[in-house]
Amino acid sequence: KQTALSLLLSNLQPNPLRDHCFLHSPVVANCESQIRSMISSIKPVSPSLTAIAGVRRSIPAKLRFCPLPITGSFQKPNPLPKKHLLSARSLSNFTFAAAAAPQQRSDVFRVGAYEADRSRPIEIGVEVPDEQSGQKVKIGIYFATWWALNVVFNIYNKKVLNAFPYPWLTSTLSLACGSLMMLVSWVTGVAEAPKTDIDFWKTLFPVALAHTIGHVAATVSMSKVAVSFTHIIKSSEPAFSVLVSSLFLGEAFPLPVYLSLLPIIGGCALAAVTELNFNMIGFMGAMISNLAFVFRNIFSKKGMKGKSVSGMNYYACLSMMSLLIVTPFAIAVEGPQMWAAGWQNAVSQIGPNFVWWVVAQSVFYHLYNQVSYMSLDQISPLTFSVGNTMKRISVIVASIIIFQNPIKPVNALGAAIAILGTFIYSQAKQ
């Protein structure tokens, strides 16, 4: 046993070729230390065995035993081929790849997190709505709210005027309610108060004057005729717009715009002639309202250029100045004595619900106008004109259903022609 161990140990003596292929291994180094410890624990051997070991050492180095085959060259094995452990192109947030780092062992794989390239679209199956689609949804909500509030206002306004035929006070209460609501919102911080100066109020005055005339004239019209008839006549507003712009501003329009006025004027005339409850005051009130609102739009377009006031705050300031303008005229035309007598009569006939009708028509008047100005901030005037046309259709249909006003087929045909002409006008002016 000792002789065998001695022979093995003799082969572990320094040898350049063997050391290169064998002794540099950590496993062999460990074996050498263990063999030496085993030899030191064995008792001394006899001289004969020592002699055998001497004969073994006399053998030439090239004939000595080597436990490993000798090869001509020693090359480092080729690195493993680079392979992706996982390829997930549909996930743009993470990509796992296995690749050997330069000057490192080829059997070591590295897993790294890949940061998404924001310049490329997301390839996941879930579609993310872009900014344009979100804007369309926002405008759609504005339009739906605008139309709904306008329908509710016209219904309650007509109920109030049927029981309380004082349009000047009714118009004043509408403006006062809106002004009070906005003042409270500014004081409480619900809405940010606008930053205005004296020049702002100077440019706002003609706009407020035209707005006051148009609002009171429309209320007078609805106190005398059906809501549907008032809105049919008010659908002829584009004709007044072209007329005023041509005469006072010297603007010229293309031929399709002038041709689109023919169905508007013809449809309104046909509806007016066939109206069962025609009233001249109601008809003239709607016409004056159209003219006043055209001037309001012209003054607003000219005077508010460069003003950084939002649509909501702009209408709030417009309501406050209109309230200051209409109040003295309402007192002069109707007066507190007529209001007190008419209020007492309405409450006795309708009951406490009449008070809620007044509050509802005042609140909804401000809300629908406020939303319309907020919509105007988000869309073009052309889109606003189309939305205003569709609003009149909803008001006419709702008022006919609620109040059950009798209407002739010829009258309905005239209304349809006038509204269609308004739509054609908005498209031709584009």
Side-chain angles (χ1 to χ4, degrees):
K1 180 178 182 181
Q2 187 177 13
T3 302
L5 293 175
S6 299
L7 290 174
L8 179 59
L9 184 61
S10 65
N11 283 290
L12 298 178
Q13 298 303 318
N15 186 311
L17 183 60
R18 188 188 68 241
D19 292 346
H20 182 78
C21 65
F22 187 75
L23 290 180
H24 286 180
S25 173
V27 178
V28 175
N30 188 25
C31 291
E32 180 181 1
S33 62
Q34 293 181 5
I35 293 171
R36 290 185 183 276
S37 62
M38 292 173 62
I39 294 175
S40 62
S41 64
I42 300 175
K43 295 179 180 181
V45 297
S46 62
S48 60
L49 293 178
T50 305
I52 296 174
V55 176
R56 174 68 180 85
R57 284 193 294 269
S58 65
I59 301 175
K62 62 180 182 179
L63 298 177
R64 290 179 184 177
F65 170 75
C66 181
L68 294 178
I70 299 175
T71 58
S73 61
F74 298 88
Q75 298 180 355
K76 190 176 181 180
N78 294 329
L80 295 176
K82 298 180 181 180
K83 294 183 178 180
H84 294 285
L85 295 180
L86 178 62
S87 176
R89 298 183 181 271
S90 60
L91 299 177
S92 61
N93 293 333
F94 297 97
T95 300
F96 299 96
Q103 298 180 356
Q104 292 182 0
R105 294 179 58 184
S106 60
D107 56 342
V108 178
F109 293 89
R110 184 175 60 183
V111 179
Y114 172 74
E115 184 179 359
D117 185 2
R118 299 181 183 275
S119 64
R120 295 181 300 175
I122 299 176
E123 298 180 2
I124 304 177
V126 180
E127 295 184 359
V128 180
D130 55 3
E131 184 178 357
Q132 185 177 5
S133 60
Q135 184 71 7
K136 291 180 180 180
V137 173
K138 184 178 180 180
I139 295 174
I141 294 175
Y142 277 162
F143 270 34
T145 307
W146 175 23
W147 296 342
L149 293 174
N150 188 262
V151 169
V152 175
F153 158 72
N154 279 276
I155 291 173
Y156 278 106
N157 189 43
K158 184 60 178 177
K159 286 185 175 182
V160 170
L161 292 173
N162 286 339
F164 185 75
Y166 297 96
W168 284 87
L169 178 60
T170 304
S171 302
T172 305
L173 292 177
S174 301
L175 296 172
C177 181
S179 301
L180 180 61
M181 290 171 61
M182 290 307 301
L183 286 175
V184 172
S185 64
W186 289 343
V187 172
T188 57
V190 175
E192 184 179 358
K195 297 178 181 180
T196 60
D197 51 16
I198 188 64
D199 292 333
F200 172 83
W201 295 102
K202 286 181 179 180
T203 56
L204 186 65
F205 177 77
V207 182
L209 180 61
H211 178 74
T212 303
I213 296 174
H215 175 46
V216 174
T219 307
V220 170
S221 175
M222 282 189 286
S223 67
K224 299 297 183 179
V225 295
V227 177
S228 58
F229 180 72
T230 299
H231 280 273
I232 291 172
I233 302 303
K234 284 178 67 64
S235 64
S236 63
E237 183 176 329
F240 286 86
S241 179
V242 172
L243 179 64
V244 171
S245 298
S246 300
L247 295 179
F248 294 93
L249 302 180
E251 293 185 11
F253 298 91
L255 182 61
V257 173
Y258 293 106
L259 294 178
S260 66
L261 300 181
L262 297 178
I264 295 176
I265 298 174
C268 289
L270 182 61
V273 171
T274 57
E275 175 64 27
L276 295 178
N277 299 318
F278 179 82
N279 182 280
M280 182 56 68
I281 296 178
F283 175 77
M284 291 304 299
M287 298 291 284
I288 294 173
S289 177
N290 284 337
L291 187 62
F293 283 144
V294 168
F295 277 105
R296 181 194 65 177
N297 296 337
I298 294 175
F299 293 146
S300 178
K301 183 179 180 181
K302 283 191 170 186
M304 298 309 298
K305 287 184 178 180
K307 301 295 182 180
S308 58
V309 179
S310 64
M312 180 177 64
N313 286 332
Y314 175 70
Y315 180 72
C317 297
L318 183 64
S319 297
M320 294 175 187
M321 183 164 281
S322 296
L323 176 63
L324 297 178
I325 295 173
V326 75
T327 300
F329 288 96
I331 295 175
V333 173
E334 294 175 348
Q337 294 181 353
M338 297 178 62
W339 295 340
W343 188 275
Q344 185 177 2
N345 184 33
V347 172
S348 62
Q349 292 181 358
I350 306 300
N353 288 335
F354 174 74
V355 179
W356 295 110
W357 290 357
V358 175
V359 173
Q361 73 91 24
S362 302
V363 171
F364 282 105
Y365 172 78
H366 175 77
L367 291 179
Y368 102 78
N369 278 284
Q370 187 180 71
V371 173
S372 69
Y373 273 83
M374 292 171 64
S375 302
L376 191 58
D377 271 351
Q378 305 291 329
I379 59 178
S380 64
L382 176 63
T383 307
F384 183 83
S385 177
V386 175
N388 198 33
T389 303
M390 304 306 293
K391 177 204 72 174
R392 298 198 187 283
I393 297 176
S394 61
V395 172
I396 292 172
V397 173
S399 64
I400 292 175
I401 295 175
I402 296 297
F403 298 105
Q404 297 181 354
N405 297 324
I407 182 172
K408 294 181 178 180
V410 179
N411 186 270
L413 178 61
I417 294 175
I419 294 174
L420 179 61
T422 304
F423 180 77
I424 296 174
Y425 163 82
S426 62
Q427 296 298 314
K429 196 178 179 182
Q430 185 176 4

